Amino acid sequence: MSEVLVVVDHVDGAIRKPTFELLTLARRLGEPSAVFFGSSDKGGEAAQKLGQLGAEKVYVVDDTEIKGYLVAPKAEALAQLVEKTSPAAVLFVSGYEGKEVAARLAIKTGSGIITDAVDVEEGGVVTQSAFAGNYTVKGKVTKGVPLITVKPNSAPVEEVGAAGTVEEFAATISDAAKKAQIVAQQPRKASGRPELTEAAIVVSGGRGTGGNFEPVEGLADALGAAVGASRAAVDSGWMPHTFQVGQTGKVVSPQLYVANGISGAIQHRAGMQTSKTIVAVNKDEEAPIFELVDFGVVGDLHSVLPAATEEINKRKG
Amino acid sequence: MNIVVCVKYVPDSTADRQFESDNTVDRVGVDGLLSELDEYAVEQALQLKEKNEGTTVTALCVGPEKAVDAVRKALQMGADSGILVSDEAIAGSDYVATSLVLAKAVEKAGAENKVDLVMCGMASTDASGSVVPAMLAERLDLPQVTFASVVETQGDQVRIKRDSDTATEVIGATMPLVMSVTDQTGEARYPSFKGIMAAKKKPLETWSLSDIGVDASEVGLSVAWTEVTETTARPPRTAGEIVKDEDGSGATALTEFLVSKKFI
Ligand SMILES: Cc1cc2nc3c(=O)[nH]c(=O)nc-3n(C[C@H](O)[C@H](O)[C@H](O)COP(=O)(O)OP(=O)(O)OC[C@H]3O[C@@H](n4cnc5c(N)ncnc54)[C@H](O)[C@@H]3O)c2cc1C
Ligand SMILES: Cc1cc2nc3c(=O)[nH]c(=O)nc-3n(C[C@H](O)[C@H](O)[C@H](O)COP(=O)(O)OP(=O)(O)OC[C@H]3O[C@@H](n4cnc5c(N)ncnc54)[C@H](O)[C@@H]3O)c2cc1C
């Protein structure tokens, strides 16, 4: 069976959940091999977990020479690994970096690329969601090595107990790839809540919060959810931009999305419409968000949310 | 400084966007416009022009004939000249082919006066791939500084701020390079009446594939490296249950719904 490369998304060795989902999808196409950019120590630790969740092999690419630069060196290293392994496909997490590394790799290797997949089937049929979730599109890469970037929450994580054998891979990085330099880097502060794109439940607030996010955060914590925001809430300075859901923010597709005081503009919908279950609380019964919901409450979020939070906490006991 | 801004012509996102029988986007039956997110790239290019004397800004679009509207809008905003690359063979191109056409057009645009900066939006508003800028950088063998939320330049030095997936970063590079900017860079200007009048006299060229040295067999739907096999309109969501909150009934109903769906 041919190898399927899965590019590991991690922060300093801590692997982010969507990588494990990629391993599940990779097994439908062949034998998963994870590619870990980092030190060999961290790679060794990561390999255990990656093996447990499906990786037969873990290529560790030393990143000392790479980590100070944006995108291009990783694409170069991957091109060399693709050359060596002739994989059946390469899977990436659909974030800024995953997409751009895949983009450069596509040109380098003469391969087609499909972005923002929500499913990958045996035979390489890829499903995407288009026009703010109004269409489902199926497609295939027909040339080169299929490069597929997959949205978080597109597959379950499965315990399979594969070998996770570490293999160091030495890549040669050209000077030309080291021209966009990361001059400073500030890791995002941990909020103590799940990561927005990975969370099973997202509770969001919009202009209707009037700047008071406490009711939204309270409900989020009762549900073990991540907190999101509309651009109106971000533009008002109530929440950082990294919390923004939508076309120019994060694209989420959790099991449950709760929109509070959010009208449901097309740009917001683009970021949440593929959520499995959608709930809204809005005081205007004409708000377009109600066209999308499975369940909606017409009411003031400042009273509905705290009361619901209290009831939920009571039920949880 | 010689800046080329890539602007895409997209179907209006507030209209009823759809696919055609060959699974390509209906770009003719729906009103189109300059992709809103590319206005931010035009704006940043114009701000650089204002700060750096002798800067020229060229708006470049690959699209059907109607796409000239997108170029014209950029001219009205203040770009100096415009280029539309239009050829029937391009229809249905994927990322790889689109980036090829753009790269060849940038090369031609810079044949006499080297291009220092290729500016792009963070994503188109129709396909939102967010990959074309990185592909352009790869094809032109240039560094990329992408998803900029703040742009600073000094001479040929560029610094941007980028909210990446897990960190906020400052990226530095030297021109020539490819940049993409987000909507965080600041509101784009509206064309003024003067700008609209002036745009009518600005140079606007239309190039075909042969003008930029691309063979028709390298682009378009039939040679795409990706194939769309099926497009299905999502079945309309079955109308959800909507309740009115009266004296706390909303909270109870909401809790009950969440319990029934096993979220609690
Ligand atoms: C729903 C949908 C899904 C698609 N998925 C895929 C896929 O998975 N793989 C694939 O290969 N193709 C795909 N395509 C085709 C792809 O969208 C086109 O090739 C498109 O022309 C370029 O991609 P983009 O609009 O996503 O650009 P992006 O990468 O989002 O564009 C970023 C920036 O590049 C510049 N730019 C992009 N296109 C142009 C242009 N025509 N003229 C001028 N500047 C431009 C603009 O500055 C823009 O802001 C898809 C199309 C649709 C409608
Ligand atoms: C290029 C571009 C990109 C964009 N990208 C994004 C994006 O990524 N994400 C995004 O979200 N937006 C985006 N937008 C903005 C988008 O168009 C909307 O303006 C925005 O989503 C509105 O946010 P909102 O729903 O919070 O505010 P509003 O539209 O003002 O809605 C507020 C809602 O709160 C309700 N409300 C008020 N008070 C209460 C209360 N006490 N209790 C309950 N409900 C109440 C109101 O009835 C109303 O429905 C973008 C716009 C552009 C032009």
Side-chain angles (χ1 to χ4, degrees):
Chain A
M1 217 182 344
S2 28
E3 283 181 69
V4 178
L5 300 182
V6 167
V7 181
V8 178
D9 183 10
H10 71 95
V11 181
D12 211 20
I15 304 168
R16 304 174 74 211
K17 182 166 154 264
T19 302
F20 303 133
E21 299 163 4
L22 296 185
L23 290 173
T24 302
L25 295 174
R27 281 195 294 129
R28 299 181 188 165
L29 305 176
E31 203 171 83
S33 294
V35 185
F36 183 93
F37 289 93
S39 68
S40 55
D41 285 0
K42 294 253 159 76
E45 282 165 35
Q48 286 194 349
K49 185 92 200 192
L50 291 164
Q52 209 180 337
L53 300 176
E56 287 297 339
K57 247 188 237 169
V58 179
Y59 293 104
V60 176
V61 186
D62 184 79
D63 73 341
T64 322
E65 223 192 315
I66 292 178
K67 66 181 171 208
Y69 305 94
L70 205 61
V71 178
K74 281 191 180 164
E76 214 167 77
L78 283 169
Q80 292 160 22
L81 192 56
V82 163
E83 167 92 36
K84 179 188 138 130
T85 56
S86 312
V90 188
L91 306 189
F92 303 81
V93 177
S94 255
Y96 286 177
E97 188 182 81
K99 278 189 175 184
E100 292 197 325
V101 173
R104 294 191 87 125
L105 185 60
I107 304 299
K108 281 184 195 296
T109 58
S111 299
I113 165 175
I114 295 185
T115 53
D116 293 318
V118 294
D119 196 16
V120 181
E121 297 162 47
E122 257 167 68
V125 176
V126 179
T127 308
Q128 291 171 305
S129 154
F131 298 156
N134 284 334
Y135 271 87
T136 301
V137 177
K138 287 195 178 198
K140 262 184 104 148
V141 170
T142 50
K143 185 161 180 291
V145 177
L147 308 178
I148 305 168
T149 80
V150 183
K151 281 197 202 176
N153 283 331
S154 296
V157 175
E158 290 170 4
E159 295 269 345
V160 278
T165 312
V166 173
E167 196 173 305
E168 305 268 345
F169 180 76
T172 322
I173 307 302
S174 71
D175 286 340
K178 293 192 278 195
K179 287 195 168 151
Q181 198 183 356
I182 302 172
V183 183
Q185 196 168 38
Q186 193 166 37
R188 202 125 309 134
K189 271 198 235 88
S191 63
R193 298 196 178 96
E195 172 110 30
L196 187 52
T197 51
E198 300 172 9
I201 304 180
V202 174
V203 179
S204 284
R207 203 194 307 273
T209 61
N212 177 8
F213 259 69
E214 261 171 50
V216 171
E217 292 172 335
L219 179 63
D221 290 342
L223 293 169
V227 171
S230 72
R231 178 162 125 176
V234 170
D235 284 352
S236 305
W238 302 335
M239 293 299 270
H241 177 243
T242 48
F243 286 70
Q244 184 177 316
V245 171
Q247 184 181 60
T248 55
K250 298 277 175 356
V251 176
V252 301
S253 69
Q255 296 299 322
L256 171 65
Y257 187 87
V258 189
N260 304 290
I262 292 176
S263 60
I266 183 89
Q267 295 92 347
H268 188 79
R269 286 152 77 145
M272 46 66 75
Q273 200 159 1
T274 53
S275 307
K276 311 288 174 303
T277 301
I278 298 175
V279 170
V281 179
N282 195 303
K283 68 178 186 191
D284 173 11
E285 62 185 319
E286 304 284 316
I289 190 80
F290 284 129
E291 291 161 19
L292 305 181
V293 299
D294 299 287
F295 188 81
V297 179
V298 180
D300 188 334
L301 70 92
H302 297 288
S303 53
V304 175
L305 298 192
T309 304
E310 205 182 307
E311 282 198 39
I312 291 165
N313 285 334
K314 243 187 247 154
R315 283 191 192 237
K316 289 198 303 189
Chain B
M1 204 185 293
N2 186 9
I3 305 178
V4 172
V5 194
C6 301
V7 294
K8 189 177 178 187
Y9 177 77
V10 298
D12 188 344
S13 63
T14 54
D16 197 9
R17 296 176 292 179
Q18 43 195 315
F19 286 98
E20 302 210 65
S21 56
D22 65 353
N23 289 325
T24 60
V25 177
D26 178 359
R27 296 191 188 274
V28 179
V30 178
D31 277 343
L33 41 74
L34 166 63
S35 178
E36 209 164 11
L37 292 172
D38 292 346
E39 289 183 14
Y40 296 91
V42 175
E43 175 62 35
Q44 288 305 307
L46 295 175
Q47 289 189 17
L48 287 174
K49 178 179 158 76
E50 283 155 10
K51 273 178 233 151
N52 296 276
E53 219 173 296
T55 298
T56 55
V57 176
T58 304
L60 167 64
C61 176
V62 174
E65 271 170 40
K66 275 170 75 179
V68 74
D69 289 352
V71 182
R72 213 164 267 141
K73 173 90 185 270
L75 295 178
Q76 292 172 349
M77 287 173 73
D80 300 294
S81 62
I83 299 163
L84 172 68
V85 184
S86 196
D87 201 306
E88 272 178 24
I90 300 173
S93 288
D94 60 5
Y95 298 144
V96 173
T98 303
S99 66
L100 173 69
V101 176
L102 280 169
K104 290 289 184 183
V106 169
E107 275 169 11
K108 181 171 159 79
E112 275 158 35
N113 182 7
K114 181 173 71 72
V115 174
D116 301 292
L117 201 51
V118 180
M119 308 267 290
C120 294
M122 67 182 287
S124 67
T125 56
D126 56 348
S128 21
S130 291
V131 293
V132 167
M135 286 187 170
L136 263 178
E138 182 68 33
R139 288 193 182 278
L140 297 168
D141 201 11
L142 293 178
Q144 64 174 90
V145 296
T146 41
F147 298 103
S149 57
V150 178
V151 178
E152 281 169 14
T153 64
Q154 198 169 60
D156 63 354
Q157 298 299 306
V158 178
R159 289 228 158 167
I160 64 144
K161 203 167 127 194
R162 161 173 165 130
D163 273 330
S164 79
D165 305 320
T166 55
T168 298
E169 297 165 332
V170 178
I171 313 291
T174 307
M175 291 183 207
L177 52 78
V178 175
M179 180 188 297
S180 77
V181 305
T182 75
D183 60 332
Q184 297 286 301
T185 47
E187 280 306 305
R189 67 194 67 189
Y190 287 103
S192 63
F193 179 69
K194 221 173 112 207
I196 293 171
M197 296 315 286
K200 294 186 173 149
K201 295 194 205 83
K202 290 178 178 171
L204 198 169
E205 289 182 40
T206 302
W207 294 347
S208 67
L209 282 178
S210 60
D211 290 328
I212 55 171
V214 173
D215 197 274
S217 67
E218 295 176 78
V219 297
L221 186 59
S222 57
V223 302
W225 296 3
T226 46
E227 171 193 30
V228 177
T229 49
E230 212 183 303
T231 54
T232 342
R234 183 192 176 115
R237 275 189 177 262
T238 39
E241 189 191 348
I242 314 253
V243 300
K244 263 210 170 90
D245 176 48
E246 269 155 34
D247 301 326
S249 65
T252 308
L254 173 58
T255 309
E256 240 124 59
F257 174 80
L258 295 176
V259 169
S260 76
K261 293 283 178 183
K262 306 208 159 49
F263 289 116
I264 298 163

